Amino acid sequence: MSQQRVLDGRYEVGELIGRGGMADVHLGRDVRLGRSVAIKLLRPDLARDPQFQSRFRREAQAVAGLNHPSIVSVFDTGDQCVVDDVTEPVTVPFIVMEYVDGRTLRDLVRSKELSIDEAIEHTLGVLSALEYSHRAGIVHRDIKPANVMVTPDGGVKVMDFGIARAIADSAATMTQTQAVIGTAQYLSPEQARGETVDARSDLYSAACLLYEMLASRPPFVGDSPVSVAYQHVREVPEPPSRFNPEISSALDGVMLRALQKSRQERFQDAAAFRRALRAARTGVALTPPAPTVPEQD
């Protein structure tokens, strides 16, 4: 596809700045308003599949109604007819989004430039975005470092709601295809098992993200995605202080709660997670949960 083109007579498509499993993202320019934008185009090979078309459009619908400083804004959507030398013309949907000048958390983790305070602050921003989206009925389903941008002034922007889904729709068990959606290092146990997904699944993924920022490694590593997924379901993660001795016991306690296998034993909403993180930053430990009474046979 040509790099030099204009969508809807308004959006100039420039250099490729990102590539995902479903779509390519280009730097663009809104000639009408004279501002930089990010343009996400569904890959032409996937655009021939109605399921991918529907999923891609659902992203725009999900995010268009979200107005929060820590969520990348959607400005416009449309379709572009693409013709190449091999196949018949195909209609490719696109999304015009806010362009964020910054670096992903993945890049910052790899560069080992994050302090503990910065890791907490970035996670608070992610949780603020999730608190808002969850109230709006949207589960992100793919929280990971590559989907979080940090601006030069330290602001956080959560992006790529491409597999987001309304909470009401998440009540249905995921299909086999949907069950593998997400990235293994950040999958909640219920996602790894192909079970129902809710807001607490996003909070587990956010905890994995924080763990990696603190420990410079995710809570579970393995030789394959299947191996990592198994550990999310069965294994207890090491406290992050084992890999970073500067981490306090209070922060270890927050991570232990946030990474519980059972959703009922995790933080029940983003606000509770945020409160616990703020307290841990000042050295205040979590109150241990009341012990559960084992069921009698």
Side-chain angles (χ1 to χ4, degrees), residues 103-280:
R103 301 171 67 188
T104 66
L105 278 183
R106 180 177 61 183
D107 291 338
L108 291 174
V109 168
R110 287 175 175 175
S111 67
K112 303 185 184 300
E113 295 177 11
L114 291 172
S115 67
I116 292 175
D117 281 344
E118 287 171 331
I120 292 174
E121 198 61 35
H122 295 336
T123 306
L124 289 172
V126 172
L127 292 172
S128 177
L130 290 176
E131 183 178 1
Y132 178 86
S133 70
H134 292 164
R135 282 204 309 265
I138 300 297
V139 179
H140 187 286
R141 296 164 61 93
D142 195 23
I143 293 295
K144 59 185 179 182
N147 282 342
V148 180
M149 294 286 292
V150 179
T151 62
D153 62 0
V156 165
K157 292 279 188 179
V158 179
M159 57 185 181
D160 198 355
F161 279 73
I163 58 175
R165 163 176 299 197
I167 290 175
D169 293 337
S170 295
T173 301
M174 293 183 295
T175 66
Q176 188 63 35
T177 299
Q178 292 167 333
V180 299
I181 289 175
T183 305
Q185 284 90 345
Y186 316 98
L187 278 182
S188 66
E190 56 272 18
Q191 280 177 295
R193 289 190 296 258
E195 297 175 354
T196 59
V197 173
D198 64 18
R200 294 168 295 181
S201 305
D202 277 349
L203 301 184
Y204 182 96
S205 299
C208 293
L209 181 152
L210 173 58
Y211 189 108
E212 186 169 6
M213 285 191 284
L214 294 171
S216 298
R217 51 155 282 169
F220 300 113
V221 296
D223 295 332
S224 69
V226 171
S227 168
V228 175
Y230 176 86
Q231 292 177 73
H232 280 295
V233 173
R234 296 292 183 186
E235 302 294 331
V236 176
E238 296 280 358
S241 60
R242 181 184 172 192
F243 306 103
N244 182 350
E246 296 182 7
I247 293 171
S248 68
S249 60
L251 195 49
D252 270 346
V254 171
M255 297 306 308
L256 177 65
R257 175 80 60 85
L259 291 173
Q260 287 293 313
K261 307 301 182 190
S262 168
R263 281 179 271 201
Q264 287 72 29
E265 296 178 3
R266 296 176 207 152
F267 298 108
Q268 295 300 291
D269 53 49
F273 196 165
R274 291 176 73 198
R275 287 193 298 270
L277 262 186
R278 289 196 181 102

Side-chain angles (χ1 to χ4, degrees), residues 1 17 43 81 87 104 125 162 166:
M1 290 166 51
I17 57 175
R43 284 171 32 195
C81 183
T87 58
T104 66

Side-chain angles (χ1 to χ4, degrees), residues 12-83:
E12 294 178 348
V13 181
E15 65 181 288
L16 182 70
I17 57 175
R19 175 163 284 164
M22 283 178 53
D24 293 335
V25 181
H26 294 259
L27 176 62
R29 180 171 176 78
D30 181 344
V31 296
R32 186 176 302 172
L33 296 180
R35 66 179 175 186
S36 296
V37 293
I39 302 172
K40 177 178 284 191
L41 287 142
L42 183 63
R43 284 171 32 195
D45 58 318
L46 299 180
R48 300 180 187 282
D49 185 332
Q51 181 179 0
F52 282 104
Q53 286 254 9
S54 175
R55 187 186 301 169
F56 189 82
R57 289 192 169 94
R58 186 167 64 238
E59 171 182 7
Q61 294 167 356
V63 186
L66 301 180
N67 182 18
H68 189 274
S70 292
I71 297 176
V72 172
S73 300
V74 167
F75 297 144
D76 199 2
T77 63
D79 298 285
Q80 171 81 359
C81 183
V82 175
V83 181

